[in-house]
Amino acid sequence: MVILEVDNVVKSFGGLRALQDVSLSVAKGEIRAVIGPNGAGKSTFFNVMTGLLSPDSGNVVFNGERITGMPPHRIIRKGIGRSFQITNIFPRMSVFENVQVALFSHHGKNRNPLSLARKFREIGEEALSILEQVGLADKYDASASILSHGDQKRLEIAISLASRPALLLLDEPTAGMSRFESRETVALLQKISREQGLTLVFTEHDMDIVFGISERITVLQQGAVIADGTPAEIKANPQVRKAYLGEEITE
Amino acid sequence: MDLSFLTVQVLSALRQAAFLFLISSGLTLVFGVLNILNFAHGALYMLGAYFIYWLTLYLVGPGGFLLALLAAPLGVALIAAVLEMGLLRRIYIQEEIYQLLLTYALVLIIDDLAKIVFGPEFKSVPKPDFVSGSVTLFGGTVPVYTLLVVVLAPAVAALLWYLLYKTKTGKVVRATSSDREMADALGINMSALFTLVFAFGAILAGLGGALAGPVRTVFPGVGTEVIIECFVVVVIGGLGNLWGALIGSILIGALETIGIIVFPEFEMALIYLLMVAVLVVRPWGLFGRPLKIKALSEKNLEMEAQEISPVHFSVHPAVRWAPLLLLLLVPLVAGRFYQYLLTQIFVASLMAIAFNLLLGMTGLLSFGQAAFFGVGAYAVGLLVTKAGFGTLPALLLSPAVAAAAAAVIGFFCVRLSGVHFAMLTLAFGQLIYAVVFKWYGFTGGDNGIQGIPVKPIAVAGLAGIDIGSTKEMYYFVLVVVGLSVEILRRIRSSPFGATLKSIRENGQRASYLGVNVKLYQWTAFVVAGAFTGLAGGLYALMEKSISPEIIHWTKSAEPVLMTIIGGIYTFVGPAVGAVVYIILNSYLVAWTEKWALVLGLVLLTLVLLLPGGVVGFVNEKARQIFGKLRCIRRWSFSKSTTS
C-alpha cells in the first residue's frame, strides 16, 4: 500500500530550478533514503512535502489525500512528522516539556485544549515512555538548551514521535553526531519503524547508514531524480556512480 | 481653490515632510544596520533643538546661526556614540525587547535631565534675521525659513544617497544591512561600524531638532511626540528602508496638511488609520521585506538558559493563599491612603499579568495594551452614565467589549511578529486614543467622563452591597482581581499555556507539532485584551472619572515596564513589578520631581544586570540555596510550569 505519492513536483527560486519533475512513491512501513550531492534539492524537497514551501506545480498525496500547499500544522495533523537538519527544539523548556507539549498538540487535535488538563498525569507518563525510547529519560528535567548536540537531535526525534506519525521525514538525523551516537540513533529508528510500522523517509550523507538500513533509495541530482531502486540496484547504477564519483558509494 | 492657497499648503506639507524625513531617515538607518528600533531617537531630536537654543545664546548673526546648526547635530552624535559604546553594545546579543527597553529607559533619563539642565518651560529659538522674512510665490506668502527647510532636506537625502552608494563605508553599511552574518564573516569591524551608524543616525535626528528649533517650540518630552510620528513613517515605508522613509514622510506630511484642512477633528487619527491600512495590505511596509527570523544557532542559548532554569518546583497552595489572607486583613490596620494605594496596585497587577500572557508566555510584545484598558474603562463609564447600567453588569461587560476590540485588532496584528507586531499594536492603540480624544459627542473628548456613580451591587434581591467607600472598594477590587489572577494562573499551567510557551521558544517547530500558531497567538491576544479591559473597568469604578490619557501609548509602556521589573518569565513577576512601580511612583512623586529619571535608571540597571527581573533573580538564588539543601520538592509531572 502506498502511503506517500509525489507527482512531478516543480519548484523554482527565481531562475534556479530547485526541483524539476520530482516523483516519488513510498510504501507503508518502508525505510526510504533520499540521497544526492549537496545542493541536489533534498531540503527543498522535504520543505515542499511538509508545507513550508508551496510547489510551482505537481502534487503531494498522503494516504490518498492531496496535501499540496497545505500549511505545515495541517499536514502534521494528517500524520506526518518531521525533524530538521539544523536542530529544532524548544530551548528554554525542559526535555520533558518539549515532548509534553508535542503530546498536548497531538491529543488536543480535535478537542478543546483546556479539557486536557485532567489528563496531565497520563500525558506525563506517555512523555516519559517516549523519552525512555530515545534514551533521554534520565535527563527529563534538564533544560533542552544545555543538552549535547547528539541528545538534542534525539530529543527532536522524540518530539516528532510524540505526534504518532504514520510517516516520519528526517532531514539528516545523524548530522554532527559521533560515530557511536549515530549508530545508536540508526538502530533506534530501525526499531521504531519495525515495532510501530512507521514509514521513514530520510536524507543522509553517511553511506554506511544509507545502505545499511534503507529498503529503497532515491537519488537526486540537480533537482531531478536520476535513480530509484533497492540498495543493490543503486550501487550498480552507472549514472549514480558517475554522480558520486570519488565518494564512498564506489567502495 | 486658488493657486496661492495651493502653494502655501503644498509648501507647508513639504516642510512637514522634510522634518519627518530628516529624523526618520536616521531612525531607519540605525534599524537597518543595528536591528534596533531606537525609542531614544526622539530624545536625540530634542537634544538637537536644545543645543541650538543654547548655542544661539552665545553665537549671534547669520554665521553664528549656521555654526550652531552644524555644531548641534555633532554634539548629539557625540552623546549618541557614548551611549552606544557604553550601554547598547552590551545587549546586542539579547532579545529585541531588551534593546527596545534600554532605549526607552534612555528616553526617560534624557527627558528628565533636559528638564534639570534647561528647565521645564517651553523654549523657542529666535529666527535669525536673514531667514526671518517671507517671499511671495504664486501669490501666496511663504516664509523663507520654510524654503530653507524644504531645500535642505533633499540636499541631505542626496548626501545620504552619495554616502551610501558611492563611498566604501556606505557599501559596507548597505552590505551589513542586508546580511549581517555575511558581513561579519567578511571581517568587517562590526563594533566600529555600529557606533558609526548610530552616531550618524543621531546627527540626522540632531539636525532635524536644530532646524526645527526656530519654528517649533522645544520642551522636555517633545521627543515622545516626534518619535511616534517617525515610527509611523518608517513602519509605513518599511523598517530599515531609506526610500521607504522618504515616501512615508511625504505621505504623512501631505496627509497631515490635508487633514488639518478637511478633517480638523480627526487629523491625528488619520495618520494612524493610514498606517493601519498600509500594514493590513502590506504587513512589512511599502518597501520593507520580512525580517529574517533568527535561527536558534544564532541565539545565545547559554545566556537564555541562565535566565530561566527549567528546574521546576511547585509552591504549596497554602503559600499561594497566605498573601490573599493577609491582604484581607490590611484594612483593619492600614488607613485609607494605603487602601487606595493597594487598590491601585491590584488593578495594575491584573493589567500586567494579563499583558505577560503575551510577552512572557507567547513572546509577543504588545505596545497597545492601554487601548484595551481604555476600552474597558470607557465601557463602564459610558454604560453607567449614559445607559444607566448597574455597577456589576457594566463591569462584567467591560472584558467582553475589550475582547471584541482585541479580536478585531488581534486578527491583523498576529500576522506580524517582533518589532512589526509591536508597531502595529501601537498604531491601533493610538488610533483608538485619537478617536476617544476628539469624539466629544460620545466619549467626552479630552474632558473624559467625570463623576461615574458607583451604585450598590444588588445581591439576590437583597438591599445590595455598597462599594462606594475606599475600604469597600478595596475588598471589591481584591476579590475581582484575585479571581481573575487565579484564572490566568490556570491558563498558564494548562496545555494551552504550555503550547503558547512552545510558540515563544520556536514558532516554526510548534507549527510542526500541528499547532496553528496564528490561532493560538490570536487567542492569547483576545484573552489578554479581555482581562486588561476588566482592569480598565475596575479603574473606572475606583477613580470615578476617566480621561483619554489612560489610552495614550505611554500608558501602554507601563505593563511592559512592570513586567520587566518583576520578571518576564515568572507568573507573579508582573505583579511584583506593579508593586514596585506604583510604590516608586507615589513616593517618588511626593518628594522629588525626578520620577522619570529614577524609573529610567531602575530600568537601565535591570536590563543590563538583571534581565530576569526581581522575581527571576530571587528564584535563581532560591534554587541555588534550596537545591543545595535539597529542600526543593522533586518536580512531579502533574504540574507543567513554575509559579
Side-chain angles (χ1 to χ4, degrees):
Chain A
M1 194 198 125
V2 174
I3 189 165
L4 177 72
E5 182 88 53
V6 179
D7 284 325
N8 301 316
V9 162
V10 176
K11 178 76 195 174
S12 306
F13 298 108
L16 180 77
R17 284 209 129 186
L19 296 175
Q20 6 192 340
D21 287 330
V22 173
S23 295
L24 180 80
S25 174
V26 182
K28 194 166 170 16
E30 186 182 316
I31 300 184
R32 166 76 61 111
V34 176
I35 62 169
N38 282 328
K42 298 182 302 267
S43 288
T44 308
F45 185 46
F46 269 48
N47 287 340
V48 165
M49 284 194 288
T50 53
L52 205 58
L53 295 172
S54 218
D56 300 338
S57 67
N59 254 329
V60 184
V61 178
F62 174 70
N63 263 341
E65 186 182 357
R66 191 169 169 268
I67 56 167
T68 327
M70 277 188 191
H73 70 266
R74 285 187 57 201
I75 291 182
I76 298 309
R77 289 182 168 208
K78 304 283 177 204
I80 298 181
R82 168 165 191 191
S83 80
F84 290 79
Q85 194 173 351
I86 299 166
T87 315
N88 214 341
I89 51 170
F90 305 111
R92 280 176 302 178
M93 289 163 73
S94 70
V95 168
F96 177 81
E97 282 177 305
N98 266 269
V99 180
Q100 187 196 33
V101 77
L103 286 168
F104 283 150
S105 170
H106 174 63
H107 290 291
K109 256 189 218 178
N110 305 311
R111 270 171 290 164
N112 167 15
L114 293 175
S115 73
L116 280 172
R118 278 180 221 95
K119 292 196 161 180
F120 261 36
R121 182 160 287 274
E122 280 167 44
I123 283 176
E125 273 154 18
E126 195 179 344
L128 275 189
S129 80
I130 292 173
L131 285 174
E132 257 160 38
Q133 226 177 357
V134 300
L136 283 175
D138 55 329
K139 294 181 181 146
Y140 78 97
D141 62 352
S143 171
S145 59
I146 58 166
L147 292 183
S148 72
H149 180 76
D151 281 348
Q152 287 187 343
K153 276 275 186 189
R154 266 193 292 207
L155 177 59
E156 202 189 341
I157 292 174
I159 294 172
S160 309
L161 287 175
S163 51
R164 302 287 173 215
L167 166 68
L168 188 53
L169 301 171
L170 301 149
D171 203 349
E172 300 202 18
T174 66
M177 284 190 181
S178 72
R179 211 161 176 76
F180 175 72
E181 281 177 328
S182 15
R183 226 177 297 152
E184 271 199 327
T185 306
V186 168
L188 168 74
L189 289 173
Q190 247 180 326
K191 187 176 139 240
I192 293 168
S193 166
R194 238 192 345 260
E195 284 173 1
Q196 304 175 359
L198 177 66
T199 314
L200 293 180
V201 176
F202 70 104
T203 67
E204 186 54 67
H205 277 295
D206 186 333
M207 289 304 147
D208 287 344
I209 294 176
V210 170
F211 286 96
I213 70 167
S214 38
E215 289 154 14
R216 284 184 79 86
I217 298 171
T218 301
V219 187
L220 279 181
Q221 194 193 5
Q222 291 179 344
V225 177
I226 58 164
D228 191 323
T230 62
E233 285 167 7
I234 296 298
K235 261 185 198 165
N237 187 316
Q239 233 186 320
V240 177
R241 282 178 169 271
K242 202 176 147 204
Y244 270 93
L245 198 67
E247 292 196 31
E248 302 107 293
I249 199 166
T250 51
E251 285 181 30
Chain B
M1 197 184 293
D2 61 73
L3 192 60
S4 63
F5 177 76
L6 200 66
T7 311
V8 171
Q9 294 308 329
V10 166
L11 276 166
S12 150
L14 281 178
R15 191 186 83 174
Q16 180 64 6
F19 278 129
L20 283 173
F21 174 72
L22 280 177
I23 310 162
S24 51
S25 58
L27 186 67
T28 209
L29 196 66
V30 168
F31 182 85
V33 176
L34 281 72
N35 270 339
I36 288 181
L37 194 60
N38 183 12
F39 259 108
H41 202 71
L44 295 175
Y45 160 92
M46 177 189 75
L47 286 183
Y50 270 124
F51 285 174
I52 199 162
Y53 162 78
W54 180 71
L55 285 168
T56 48
L57 293 179
Y58 304 98
L59 303 168
V60 285
F65 179 77
L66 290 177
L67 193 63
L69 199 59
L70 273 178
L74 289 177
V76 177
L78 197 68
I79 290 177
V82 171
L83 291 176
E84 197 277 340
M85 289 192 284
L87 301 171
L88 271 178
R89 184 175 286 183
R90 294 163 185 271
I91 58 158
Y92 287 139
I93 202 154
Q94 291 197 22
E95 285 181 51
E96 286 167 342
I97 163 140
Y98 290 104
Q99 297 157 10
L100 216 57
L101 281 168
L102 188 109
T103 61
Y104 188 74
L106 290 178
V107 173
L108 296 170
I109 294 169
I110 295 174
D111 273 0
D112 246 17
L113 286 179
K115 203 187 283 176
I116 294 168
V117 176
F118 298 101
E121 63 277 2
F122 286 53
K123 301 266 195 247
S124 57
V125 182
K127 258 188 229 175
D129 291 338
F130 74 108
V131 284
S132 63
S134 52
V135 291
T136 309
L137 266 180
F138 303 110
T141 311
V142 180
V144 174
Y145 201 82
T146 298
L147 292 178
L148 176 74
V149 173
V150 170
V151 170
L152 210 59
V156 170
L159 182 71
L160 265 179
W161 177 83
Y162 175 80
L163 288 175
L164 280 175
Y165 286 80
K166 297 290 164 189
T167 66
K168 186 163 173 270
T169 316
K171 284 174 184 161
V172 170
V173 168
R174 282 192 299 133
T176 314
S177 171
S178 72
D179 193 336
R180 200 200 279 198
E181 283 79 44
M182 187 50 89
D184 201 12
L186 290 174
I188 289 165
N189 181 347
M190 285 293 168
S191 350
L193 184 74
F194 281 14
T195 311
L196 181 77
V197 170
F198 195 76
F200 191 74
I203 288 188
L204 292 168
L207 182 62
L211 261 183
V215 282
R216 298 171 171 180
T217 50
V218 55
F219 54 92
V222 66
T224 53
E225 288 172 20
V226 172
I227 191 68
I228 293 297
E229 261 186 335
C230 289
F231 278 166
V232 173
V233 166
V234 298
V235 169
I236 285 180
L239 278 170
N241 189 300
L242 212 52
W243 309 123
L246 183 64
I247 302 296
S249 302
I250 294 171
L251 276 177
I252 295 296
L255 193 66
E256 282 181 347
T257 311
I258 295 169
I260 289 171
I261 302 165
V262 186
F263 311 99
E265 285 282 278
F266 290 101
E267 172 245 332
M268 225 177 16
L270 273 183
I271 68 167
Y272 300 115
L273 205 60
L274 175 71
M275 171 167 167
V276 165
V278 167
L279 290 194
V280 164
V281 181
R282 289 187 64 92
W284 315 107
L286 293 174
F287 295 85
R289 56 200 160 110
L291 292 182
K292 247 173 71 178
I293 298 169
K294 270 192 195 167
L296 280 182
S297 51
E298 291 167 46
K299 290 189 181 168
N300 186 346
L301 290 184
E302 268 136 53
M303 191 157 182
E304 292 183 349
Q306 281 171 6
E307 267 172 44
I308 174 174
S309 162
V311 177
H312 299 270
F313 56 96
S314 50
V315 181
H316 195 274
V319 180
R320 276 209 305 274
W321 292 105
L324 192 66
L325 269 177
L326 280 179
L327 287 173
L328 283 172
L329 298 177
V330 163
L332 302 181
V333 288
R336 279 180 54 194
F337 171 74
Y338 292 101
Q339 291 168 16
Y340 175 70
L341 193 70
L342 277 167
T343 314
Q344 273 185 312
I345 289 175
F346 297 155
V347 171
S349 300
L350 178 57
M351 186 185 188
I353 289 178
F355 162 78
N356 203 33
L357 186 70
L358 292 176
L359 181 62
M361 287 289 287
T362 323
L364 291 173
L365 172 60
S366 164
F367 237 100
Q369 287 309 97
F372 306 120
F373 188 82
V375 166
Y378 271 86
V380 167
L382 292 172
L383 284 172
V384 170
T385 55
K386 298 209 168 173
F389 271 59
T391 306
L392 212 50
L395 185 67
L396 288 176
L397 274 173
S398 64
V401 177
V408 176
I409 293 174
F411 176 79
F412 297 107
C413 292
V414 297
R415 302 192 305 163
L416 301 172
S417 58
V419 174
H420 288 93
F421 176 87
M423 287 302 113
L424 190 55
T425 50
L426 179 83
F428 270 114
Q430 285 294 94
L431 180 61
I432 291 181
Y433 167 75
V435 170
V436 171
F437 190 83
K438 290 284 187 180
W439 199 354
Y440 289 93
F442 185 58
T443 62
D446 57 355
N447 300 322
I449 301 171
Q450 310 298 327
I452 299 168
V454 180
K455 296 171 199 159
I457 299 170
V459 178
L462 295 174
I465 305 165
D466 183 22
I467 56 163
S469 78
T470 310
K471 187 171 160 187
E472 285 146 351
M473 183 58 81
Y474 172 92
Y475 281 119
F476 180 69
V477 173
L478 177 61
V479 168
V480 175
V481 170
L483 287 174
S484 308
V485 168
E486 177 60 16
I487 294 172
L488 283 166
R489 195 186 67 80
R490 284 180 185 233
I491 290 176
R492 187 185 158 92
S493 52
S494 73
F496 175 72
T499 307
L500 291 183
K501 210 167 140 189
S502 74
I503 291 171
R504 173 194 83 202
E505 285 301 296
N506 191 343
Q508 188 202 43
R509 181 73 241 194
S511 73
Y512 275 96
L513 299 180
V515 173
N516 187 343
V517 171
K518 299 287 167 223
L519 181 65
Y520 270 80
Q521 287 176 328
W522 179 80
T523 313
F525 196 80
V526 174
V527 173
F531 282 102
T532 309
L534 181 62
L538 287 172
Y539 175 87
L541 290 180
M542 69 175 269
E543 295 290 341
K544 296 175 188 68
S545 70
I546 46 180
S547 68
E549 262 167 58
I550 59 170
I551 315 181
H552 194 255
W553 74 269
T554 45
K555 178 84 184 171
S556 287
E558 285 185 4
V560 186
L561 299 180
M562 290 170 190
T563 302
I564 294 299
I565 292 173
I568 169 172
Y569 297 125
T570 59
F571 181 71
V572 292
V576 172
V579 174
V580 175
Y581 186 92
I582 302 271
I583 289 180
L584 268 183
N585 189 348
S586 28
Y587 284 91
L588 279 177
V589 169
W591 54 261
T592 164
E593 285 168 10
K594 315 291 178 293
W595 144 246
L597 181 64
V598 176
L599 183 65
L601 288 172
V602 167
L603 190 62
L604 199 67
T605 318
L606 281 168
V607 168
L608 291 175
L609 302 177
L610 282 186
V614 176
V615 178
F617 177 74
V618 172
N619 270 356
E620 196 53 46
K621 287 286 161 221
R623 273 192 205 106
Q624 285 169 8
I625 295 165
F626 291 113
K628 270 187 202 138
L629 298 174
R630 298 184 180 280
C631 283
I632 295 181
R633 261 205 296 172
R634 190 72 169 162
W635 178 58
S636 65
F637 40 78
S638 58
K639 291 269 194 293
S640 84
T641 39
T642 53
S643 62

